Amino acid sequence: MKGRKLLMIPGPIEFEPDVLQAMGIATNSHVAPDFIETFGNSLELMRTVWKSPKGQPFIISGTGTLAMDMAISNLIESGDSVLVISSGYFGIRFKSILECYGAEVTVLEAPTGDVVSLDTIEEALKSKHYKALTMTHVDTSTGVLVDPKPIAHLAKKYNTLSILDGVCSVAGEEINQDDWSIDIVLTASQKAIGVPPGLALLMASEKAIQVWENRKTPVGNYYANWKNWLPIMKAYEERRPSYFGTPPVNLIVALEVSLKIICKEGINKRIKRHRYLAEAFRLGIEALHLKMLPVSNALAAHTLSAIYYPEGVDGASFSAKMNASDIIIAGGLLADIKSTYFRIGHMGSVSPNDLLAVLGALERALIELGYPIESGKSLHAFQNAIITN
């Protein structure tokens, strides 16, 4: 890299040049015909990426937390029972949001690096009626991958809405929203969707919209209320001007560019690329005898890796040496163990060359800090996996 560092955190990520160029064009009117076309097309492209031809897409100025807030505030009323399936920091965030709206929350929390078993989830669903359950597809704090398909099927079996936090998974992990009967899939722009921070993206099922329409009490949120936003989404998709709040014009122009790039690659091919790069990267990490935070490779995300520092290696010194090699990584996020691990994002437009650069810098940092490894070992393992894929 010349002149700048390689950003390898779990979001924001490295963005495609065409996406960044779209951010820099002269800002258009939010009711100009060409912007209306861009917004409407972006909504339609979301259905392709989410695999939800029947879903209702929302594009809102905000973060992934706003998307979580939007899902909860529109579907949950005071006194509703909700089951939170937590595999890290962002499962607990769901709990905090739910409590703001008066929900009665039950949390099923997995041990660090693990997932809650399906049997445990079904036992909870059998014990009482829950209006909804929440799950985190990839928890950014742990790098743990949850399989949402069987959980969504259990939710449907027990007449419970399913809400999937796909902030670190949409466009990087396999999702078939309609086929899997997931009621809400939400994300943010700065992850595998490949757009700078600032957009909350959400897809609601027909059932979710019906539940919202039939709620007994008003939505306790003004900005996130679907009453205000649904007419806007419908208008843009019908190529008509409309207004509630001024949309972030350049971000939405960039979103259309990125969604077109994703669809040109093909969502299935894109998911496969994320998978084989992540698997090859893990082989490189394993070659250095480093331990991953997920308890097994089957539970390791394909969009980021959470890795424990080896014994005797100081995290701050390690990060400083990676930074000196022009690689930016993320530290730990879980409060009780945050100083014991680091995180590397590998999603969006990530390439084998990016990950070779990361592994090379990682080896140098560890050797300089006195960790006994054989130089080139992780690179060899990674290259072999890529070549034989």
Side-chain angles (χ1 to χ4, degrees), residues 53-162:
K54 296 179 181 178
Q56 173 58 56
F58 291 86
I59 301 172
I60 311 294
S61 178
T63 67
T65 299
L66 174 68
M68 297 167 77
D69 194 13
M70 177 173 275
I72 299 304
S73 63
N74 283 280
L75 295 178
I76 303 304
E77 301 180 63
S78 181
D80 285 342
S81 294
V82 181
L83 184 65
V84 172
I85 302 164
S86 177
S87 51
Y89 182 94
F90 291 96
I92 301 307
R93 177 163 291 185
F94 261 131
K95 176 179 181 289
S96 298
I97 296 171
L98 284 157
E99 289 174 343
C100 286
Y101 296 101
E104 296 179 0
V105 184
T106 299
V107 178
L108 300 178
E109 190 164 5
T112 300
D114 209 342
V115 298
V116 179
S117 73
L118 288 175
D119 287 343
T120 300
I121 296 169
E122 184 156 23
E123 282 301 313
L125 292 172
K126 281 180 179 178
S127 68
K128 62 185 289 188
H129 175 66
Y130 290 96
K131 184 175 186 179
L133 63 78
T134 70
M135 50 185 162
T136 311
H137 198 178
V138 171
D139 199 295
T140 316
S141 69
T142 60
V144 168
L145 175 68
V146 168
D147 184 355
K149 183 178 179 180
I151 299 174
H153 286 180
L154 283 176
K156 185 176 181 181
K157 177 180 177 180
Y158 291 95
N159 193 29
T160 298
L161 292 168
S162 53

Side-chain angles (χ1 to χ4, degrees), residues 144 297 377:
V144 168
N297 282 339
K377 199 166 185 180

Side-chain angles (χ1 to χ4, degrees), residues 170-200:
V170 173
E173 302 282 1
E174 184 181 9
I175 297 174
N176 293 277
Q177 183 170 357
D178 285 8
D179 285 352
W180 296 353
S181 299
I182 305 176
D183 293 298
I184 298 286
V185 177
L186 60 93
T187 192
S189 54
Q190 76 274 12
K191 305 283 189 174
I193 286 291
V195 178
L199 293 176

Side-chain angles (χ1 to χ4, degrees), residues 249-304:
V249 172
N250 288 58
L251 274 171
I252 293 172
V253 173
L255 176 65
E256 184 193 31
V257 171
S258 193
L259 290 173
K260 284 180 176 179
I261 291 170
I262 292 168
C263 291
K264 183 178 180 180
E265 181 179 8
I267 189 61
N268 291 337
K269 185 177 179 181
R270 185 180 179 88
I271 302 308
K272 183 179 178 181
R273 173 170 60 82
H274 278 78
R275 183 178 295 115
Y276 86 74
L277 284 175
E279 290 172 350
F281 186 72
R282 282 198 294 273
L283 288 173
I285 295 300
E286 290 168 4
L288 301 178
H289 306 293
L290 299 181
K291 183 182 177 184
M292 302 278 290
L293 194 142
V295 298
S296 71
N297 282 339
L299 300 180
H302 303 110
T303 51
L304 80 147

